[in-house]
Amino acid sequence: MTYRRWRLRPGVPAEAVRDLLRARIAPHYRTLDPAVELDLEQLQDAAAVLAIARWPDRTSYDRATQGPAYQAWLEAYRPILDEWDRLVEFETEWFTRGLL
């Protein structure tokens, strides 16, 4: 899984981030790998959100995020990333591997 913590930009409600994830980001990710699951959680301080991507396994993640097909996917994703960056500011990220 990948976790990314994002700080909401001033005046941006978490619902705007959620709506972008539902309308544009999740559908685009499904073209990368239909098995990836995206989630968004608002943190307790309410000024940040946690974006979570759950991949079936590390092999699926590596296969989906390497090579020319990924570069084409990423290029098509750039306008969506621009929208995302207007809503939030990146803070940190980390990766985990499920044990159960």
Side-chain angles (χ1 to χ4, degrees):
M1 287 195 280
T2 61
Y3 294 86
R4 291 184 177 97
R5 180 185 165 109
W6 301 86
R7 173 87 28 208
L8 296 170
R9 295 199 183 270
V12 173
E15 292 77 18
V17 178
R18 177 202 61 208
D19 293 347
L20 179 60
L21 181 92
R22 283 181 179 165
R24 308 270 324 268
I25 295 172
H28 194 71
Y29 260 81
R30 281 193 291 276
T31 68
L32 180 62
D33 185 329
V36 68
E37 297 176 15
L38 302 180
D39 197 8
L40 186 70
E41 297 184 8
Q42 187 165 20
L43 298 176
Q44 192 171 14
D45 68 8
V49 293
L50 187 62
I52 304 163
R54 291 180 184 86
W55 294 84
D57 52 52
R58 183 64 192 213
T59 302
S60 298
Y61 173 83
D62 289 343
R63 184 176 46 246
T65 59
Q66 296 176 6
Y70 177 69
Q71 292 307 313
W73 179 90
L74 189 57
E75 192 60 35
Y77 189 48
R78 290 201 192 283
I80 300 169
L81 282 176
D82 290 343
E83 288 181 59
W84 179 262
D85 287 341
R86 285 191 290 273
L87 300 176
V88 293
E89 180 180 356
F90 177 76
E91 289 189 332
T92 190
E93 73 180 331
W94 61 96
F95 299 85
T96 65
R97 181 177 52 91
L99 295 176
L100 295 178

